[in-house]
Every structure is written in structure tokens, then in C-alpha cells.
Amino acid sequence: MASRNTSKSIGVIGAGSFGTAVANILAEQNKKILLYVRTAERLKTVQKTRKSAGQSLAENIEVTNDLSQIGNLCDVIFPIVPSANFRDMMRELSPFLKPYHILIHGTKGFDIVGIKDDEERLSRDHIKTMSEVIREESSVVRVGCLAGPNLAGEIADKKPAATVVASQFDEVIKMGQKLLKNDRFLIYGSNDLIGIELCGILKNIIAIGAGAIAGLGLGENAKSLFISRGLVEMVHIGKALGGNAQAFLGLAGVGDLIATCSSNLSRNFTVGYRLAKKESIETISKSMEEVAEGVRTIGLINSMAKTYKVRSPITETLHRIIHGEMSVDDAHTYLMKFPFRVEIDFI
């Protein structure tokens, strides 16, 4: 395939499993990649070993812990950090950003504004997607996101995959396609930025439940039943939060949902599996090297579903499991008796 090198570096902020995988994909098509790690200690380790998140780094990836370098040397930046740290990162990066920058994030979680996680009456005013955080904290206008069945371990192993670059700007979509596409990584486009972001966020909830079903050994029929009901719940919640149903029926919706509900490479699936084995959420969280965004998202969506009067029995049940109010076995019994009478009611 012909090279599509750019004269400036491409930046990736976040050296976790997905951020590292994205950096390596970018390195195949572009001369210079800057990969940001948070601490000086991590910087020394990665520079010495040339490995990050268990992945070997391409020769043309330079590692830094200086956000000013990312802003000053890169016109296109891929921020891929946990949602709980995203706003702080943007505030640190913002002084080095200009309106000409393009930011395409890969974070599947919410930011909370002006209210605590455990408040009962969350609304859309209290939560922001990462594209909204970027716009609130910087002068950047051209914003996009990555979402799809993108298990980092498989991407790192060079197995075939695809993603969606979503943005209100066609220029951002085309840039994402130009920088990321190769013979094994397909790039689709969408102008429904909020809808695609919500797909990536909400599927993490269902992945935890699917992991619990696998942990109980209930079989593929039960898991398929759960995933299909989970998709319906995702659509209703997503529409209440400003998304469109169409987004959930594509690669970033049902495609990502299938991947994360079916693989032990998924952190959220792993959380559910371990919950079914009677481990506490505290033990599971402490032992995981990277954040499972779905745990935090369950609490937020459980609160917002009450605010918007959206029926969300799966989210509510998982919330009760995480808070020790219900066992996984009892949750299975409860959901099997729940009156799901209409299969599809959002079309």
C-alpha cells in the first residue's frame, strides 16, 4: 500500500492497550508518531523496553510525557484516556491547542459536571461526552471519536477489525480514514457524533451483564437473549440522551456490543464474569490494570433513567449487584421473570 506520510507528527494521548494499538496503526502510514505517557517513571520504562501495555512499539513512535510537545508538534491528536481523567488532561493540553487542531478521541465513558456520582437525579446537563469536554475546555472545533468492535488485543495481534470515525465535520472523518485505514483495519464514517459516542458508552453496561451470564455457565441462548434485550435498552436510553436509534444498529452499536459481550479480552465482560464467581467489585477493580468504564457508567445511567423515566431493568439490576443489594443468581431469576413483552418497540 502506498505511504501517506504527513510532514507533522500525529499525537496519541494515553498509552493504555487501545492507545498503544492506535499509535502502532498510525505508525504504519505516517512518519512520526508522538505517544504521550503520564509520568516520568513510565516514560523511562517505555523508552527503555520499547513496549507499552504489553505491545512492542513501532520504530517511528516517539514517547513523551510533555503535553506541550503534543500540542505544538501535532495538528491531529487522538486522546485515549479514561473518562475520569479526560477533563483534567484537556485542561493541561488546552494552552497548546489552536482552532486548527483536529482531535479524534477514543474514550468510551462520561464526564460528570457539578454533581456527585451517587446523586439520585442526574440529567443530561450533568454528564458530558468526551467530544463535549473537548469543546468546553479548548478552542478546538473539529472534533471526532472512534467507536466500534476494537478489542485492543486483537488489533495488536494484527487481526482484521473496523471502526467508525464520527464527526459533524466530513474533513475530520476523511482525516481519520486517511491516517488509520490499512488492509486489515477498515474505517467507516458517521456524522452522528453524539449517537456514536453513546453507543460506545452504553454497550459497556451490557458487556458486564453478558460476562456474568458466562460466569454462571448459562449458555449461548441465554447470552443471546440478554444481548438482544440489552440492545433495546441501549436504544431507549440513547434516545433519551440525544442519540438516534440508527447509530445503535451499526458497527459502533451492535458490532461493538457483540465483540465486548463475547470476549474475555473485554475488560467489562471480565468484570461481569468475576462478579458471577462471587468476587466483590472492590477486589475486581483493584486487580485490573486498566479501567472498566462500564462500572462507573452503570451508576450514572441508573440515575438518569429515573430522571427521564426510561425503563432500564438491566442497568438497574446490575447497579444492585455492584452495590451488594442482589446476587448474580438472584438477578438472573429476576430478569427471567421480568415482563419483556414486546421484542422491538423503537422502530
Side-chain angles (χ1 to χ4, degrees), residues 311-346:
R311 294 179 75 189
S312 56
I314 291 173
T315 303
E316 181 180 348
T317 301
L318 289 169
H319 184 263
R320 294 177 67 185
I321 291 171
I322 286 173
H323 287 269
E325 299 171 4
M326 179 182 282
S327 70
V328 175
D329 290 298
D330 289 343
H332 163 61
T333 301
Y334 169 73
L335 287 176
M336 286 300 290
K337 293 181 178 179
F338 192 86
F340 295 109
R341 292 193 173 89
V342 180
E343 185 184 13
I344 300 294
D345 55 0
F346 55 82

Side-chain angles (χ1 to χ4, degrees), residues 120-132:
E120 286 294 316
R121 302 292 292 182
L122 281 175
S123 73
R124 190 64 174 84
D125 294 333
H126 300 123
I127 65 161
K128 304 293 180 180
T129 67
M130 298 305 104
S131 70
E132 292 168 334

Side-chain angles (χ1 to χ4, degrees), residues 210-220 222-223 273 276-277 328-329:
I213 288 172
L216 290 175
L218 297 177
E220 296 304 315
K223 189 166 70 172
Y273 188 93
K277 299 302 183 183
V328 175
D329 290 298

Side-chain angles (χ1 to χ4, degrees), residues 29-84:
Q29 304 290 354
N30 306 278
K31 282 185 178 179
K32 308 170 187 175
I33 307 299
L34 270 180
L35 176 63
Y36 173 84
V37 300
R38 184 186 293 184
T39 67
E41 181 181 4
R42 178 87 188 277
L43 175 65
K44 291 179 181 178
T45 301
V46 175
Q47 286 178 329
K48 180 179 179 180
T49 63
R50 294 299 296 171
K51 286 190 173 183
S52 175
Q55 303 171 45
S56 297
L57 297 180
E59 291 182 0
N60 54 326
I61 295 177
E62 179 182 340
V63 189
T64 180
N65 71 332
D66 184 353
L67 282 176
S68 68
Q69 280 192 309
I70 298 288
N72 293 329
L73 299 178
C74 306
D75 288 351
V76 182
I77 302 169
F78 292 81
I80 306 173
V81 301
S83 60

Side-chain angles (χ1 to χ4, degrees), residues 6-7 29 53 68 78 81 94 98 141 151 154 188 190 197 203 223 231 234 252 282 314 331:
T6 60
S7 59
Q29 304 290 354
S68 68
F78 292 81
V81 301
S94 181
K98 301 293 188 291
V141 176
L151 297 169
E154 292 191 358
Y188 294 87
S190 172
E197 285 182 295
K203 58 86 186 177
K223 189 166 70 172
L231 177 61
M234 284 171 58
E282 292 77 17
I314 291 173

Side-chain angles (χ1 to χ4, degrees), residues 186-205:
L186 303 179
I187 314 296
Y188 294 87
S190 172
N191 292 121
D192 184 8
L193 176 57
I194 297 299
I196 297 299
E197 285 182 295
L198 290 172
C199 286
I201 295 168
L202 296 176
K203 58 86 186 177
N204 288 329
I205 297 175

